[in-house]
């Protein structure tokens, strides 16, 4: 079945450090891949997405490339800020999944950035 | 402003006392769903709805009911809550539930069942 495995946290970085959060997936069909971010006390919001192989999603300095050959969608940012402290979720939605529209989430990675 | 709203945001109740968590969206979305978030488990889908009067089970439907009588509303009903339903609940919506659609999440409802 469909599933997402992402790097366990917590991740602690100093401001301006480079960030990578690994995400790999298993899917029946040709999924869309998402990164959602959850700031403290808030709901999830879309950070970026990619809907087909080799697509790169980007937003707010974050990037992730849909790699079908390695079934991966790693999140990267070149220089993190304190305001990036949040929980990051990798997710997929499968075009051939048994439940249309369902998002399969990883367990989340807590990122803390220190000044 | 396009948004998904949930009420209440926080709720403490006792075992067996029926409760309803409301969810409403103002984006004319056809697809709505409920997730629960538990530490170390990420988010798991409870129920979803493709349109009015069309609902189906997600991964963890036991102990929950839903209804979709209007397009904008998708309440979650716990008829006899138990402590293992203590969790953080999120409602989400998307335009048609397609696999490329962005889902929009509400702010969450933190439920504690004593």
């Amino acid at each position: 079945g469909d599933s997402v495995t992402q790097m366990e946290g917590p991740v602690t970085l100093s401001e301006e450090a480079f960030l990578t959060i690994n995400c790999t997936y298993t899917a029946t069909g040709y999924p869309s891949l998402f990164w959602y971010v959850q700031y403290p006390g808030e709901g999830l919001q879309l950070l970026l997405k990619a809907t087909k192989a080799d697509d790169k999603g980007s937003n707010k300095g974050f990037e992730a490339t849909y790699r079908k050959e390695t079934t991966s969608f790693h999140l990267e940012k070149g220089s993190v800020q304190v305001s990036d402290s949040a929980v990051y979720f990798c997710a997929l939605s499968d075009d051939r999944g048994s439940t249309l529209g369902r998002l399969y989430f990883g367990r989340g990675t807590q990122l803390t950035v220190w000044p | 402003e396009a948004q998904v709203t949930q009420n209440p945001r926080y709720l403490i109740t006792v075992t067996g006392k029926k409760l309803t968590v409301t969810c409403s969206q103002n984006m004319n979305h056809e697809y709505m769903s409920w997730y629960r978030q538990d530490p170390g488990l990420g988010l798991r889908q409870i129920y979803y709805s493709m349109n009015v009067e069309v609902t189906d089970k997600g991964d963890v439907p036991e102990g929950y009911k839903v209804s979709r009588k209007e397009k904008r509303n998708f309440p979650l009903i716990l008829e006899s809550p138990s402590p293992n339903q203590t969790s953080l609940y999120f409602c989400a919506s998307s335009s048609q539930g397609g696999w490329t659609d962005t889902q929009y999440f509400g702010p969450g409802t933190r439920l504690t069942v004593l």
Side-chain angles (χ1 to χ4, degrees):
Chain A
D2 294 349
S3 66
V4 173
T5 303
Q6 69 179 96
M7 192 170 91
E8 297 280 333
V11 174
T12 303
L13 295 172
S14 298
E15 205 165 28
E16 299 184 4
F18 184 84
L19 169 71
T20 299
I21 301 177
N22 291 336
C23 172
T24 57
Y25 68 89
T26 302
T28 306
Y30 299 90
S32 294
L33 300 171
F34 305 81
W35 277 100
Y36 280 84
V37 59
Q38 185 179 28
Y39 297 105
E42 298 183 11
L44 281 74
Q45 56 185 272
L46 179 71
L47 180 60
L48 53 85
K49 70 178 184 181
T51 59
K52 61 183 188 294
D54 299 325
D55 270 2
K56 178 186 282 188
S58 61
N59 186 25
K60 299 181 181 180
F62 291 89
E63 293 183 340
T65 300
Y66 187 159
R67 301 283 188 203
K68 193 170 189 301
E69 63 276 14
T70 54
T71 62
S72 64
F73 193 55
H74 304 321
L75 182 68
E76 296 183 337
K77 186 175 186 183
S79 176
V80 294
Q81 305 300 312
V82 172
S83 58
D84 294 327
S85 298
V87 181
Y88 293 81
F89 291 94
C90 186
L92 73 81
S93 182
D94 198 340
D95 68 329
R96 299 180 190 180
S98 60
T99 305
L100 287 176
R102 178 190 297 187
L103 281 171
Y104 293 86
F105 284 91
R107 296 185 176 186
T109 302
Q110 171 75 57
L111 170 66
T112 302
V113 181
W114 295 99
Chain B
E1 180 191 355
Q3 59 182 349
V4 178
T5 57
Q6 296 177 227
N7 282 292
R9 295 288 312 276
Y10 302 90
L11 179 60
I12 300 174
T13 190
V14 295
T15 298
K17 186 177 181 181
K18 181 179 179 179
L19 66 92
T20 299
V21 183
T22 65
C23 172
S24 182
Q25 50 90 8
N26 63 1
M27 295 170 277
N28 201 37
H29 284 168
E30 293 188 0
Y31 182 91
M32 298 184 74
S33 66
W34 278 101
Y35 293 86
R36 60 178 287 173
Q37 181 182 16
D38 300 292
L41 296 177
L43 281 80
R44 295 175 293 168
Q45 191 182 57
I46 304 170
Y47 268 95
Y48 69 98
S49 170
M50 295 300 292
N51 213 325
V52 175
E53 302 292 0
V54 180
T55 65
D56 207 346
K57 298 176 181 177
D59 286 324
V60 288
E62 295 77 20
Y64 304 95
K65 284 178 58 176
V66 294
S67 69
R68 187 94 181 271
K69 293 183 168 48
E70 304 167 284
K71 196 172 187 178
R72 63 184 294 128
N73 297 323
F74 190 46
L76 180 69
I77 303 157
L78 285 72
E79 299 232 330
S80 183
S82 62
N84 64 12
Q85 293 178 299
T86 293
S87 188
L88 181 57
Y89 292 87
F90 289 101
C91 181
S93 73
S94 69
S95 60
Q96 295 190 341
W99 78 94
T100 62
D101 289 354
T102 297
Q103 293 204 20
Y104 297 85
F105 285 79
T109 295
R110 185 167 292 283
L111 172 66
T112 302
V113 183
L114 302 175

